[in-house]
Amino acid sequence: MQLDDLYRRVIMDHYKNPRNRGTMNDDAVTINLNNPTCGDRISLQLVVEDGKVTDAKFTGEGCSISMSSASMMTEAVKGQTFEAALEMAERFSSLMKGESVEFEELEDIEALSGVNKFPARIKCATLAWNALRKGIESRNGN
């Protein structure tokens, strides 16, 4: 099996069987973002305690890239400090720029590395990560 086929399967698995899809109680920080270029939209909810993301869920509609990226991101950031989660978001941005990056926290994220070959799809992949940044910044008072 070629690497592209494996990556495609990982992306489709997260799209068809999203992890952490759903909503939480009112204590969660909620960030709503959309990508008007292609119609993707996400509502990300984060539970944050003592500078850590203790839980993350999302709802939304969009292409397989945006929804699978949200699924992967929510898995990766649970239990992470704000600093670690923001650093992960930076590494993801680097991945989207075509740089070589590894994700020890969740190897599935690397399946999105091919998205950088399609500039119009980069916004799809980064939508959930941008919501994560906004959520953490809102909790830090930035």
Side-chain angles (χ1 to χ4, degrees):
M1 179 186 314
Q2 290 188 338
L3 193 57
D4 285 347
D5 291 336
L6 176 63
Y7 283 174
R8 206 170 290 120
R9 287 182 184 191
V10 169
I11 291 168
M12 290 311 293
D13 179 51
H14 276 272
Y15 179 63
K16 291 179 180 178
N17 306 296
R19 283 60 152 183
N20 306 303
R21 188 169 184 91
T23 58
M24 291 188 274
N25 62 32
D26 293 337
D27 293 341
V29 175
T30 302
I31 307 91
N32 297 300
L33 286 183
N34 66 36
N35 178 1
T37 329
C38 66
D40 296 336
R41 61 178 186 78
I42 186 171
S43 179
L44 176 66
Q45 289 189 297
L46 302 170
V47 175
V48 293
E49 296 171 4
D50 301 322
K52 276 190 171 181
V53 178
T54 58
D55 202 0
K57 290 195 180 288
F58 76 98
T59 57
E61 294 178 358
C63 67
S64 60
I65 299 293
S66 67
M67 295 295 104
S68 61
S69 183
S71 173
M72 293 174 194
M73 183 274 296
T74 56
E75 277 201 305
V77 300
K78 280 185 180 182
Q80 300 291 329
T81 64
F82 289 169
E83 294 79 18
L86 288 172
E87 192 269 334
M88 237 185 279
E90 286 304 312
R91 281 191 286 148
F92 190 76
S93 289
S94 296
L95 184 70
M96 291 298 101
K97 293 175 186 168
E99 298 171 18
S100 179
V101 179
E102 289 186 17
F103 282 89
E104 302 81 26
E105 303 86 356
L106 182 67
E107 292 176 0
D108 285 2
I109 294 172
E110 293 175 24
L112 293 167
S113 63
V115 171
N116 67 43
K117 297 174 191 159
F118 306 96
R121 304 305 298 271
I122 291 173
K123 286 184 180 180
C124 303
T126 57
L127 185 64
W129 294 89
N130 290 336
L132 171 69
R133 277 193 190 103
K134 280 187 158 242
I136 290 174
E137 288 168 1
S138 75
R139 289 301 289 200
N140 280 339
N142 293 335

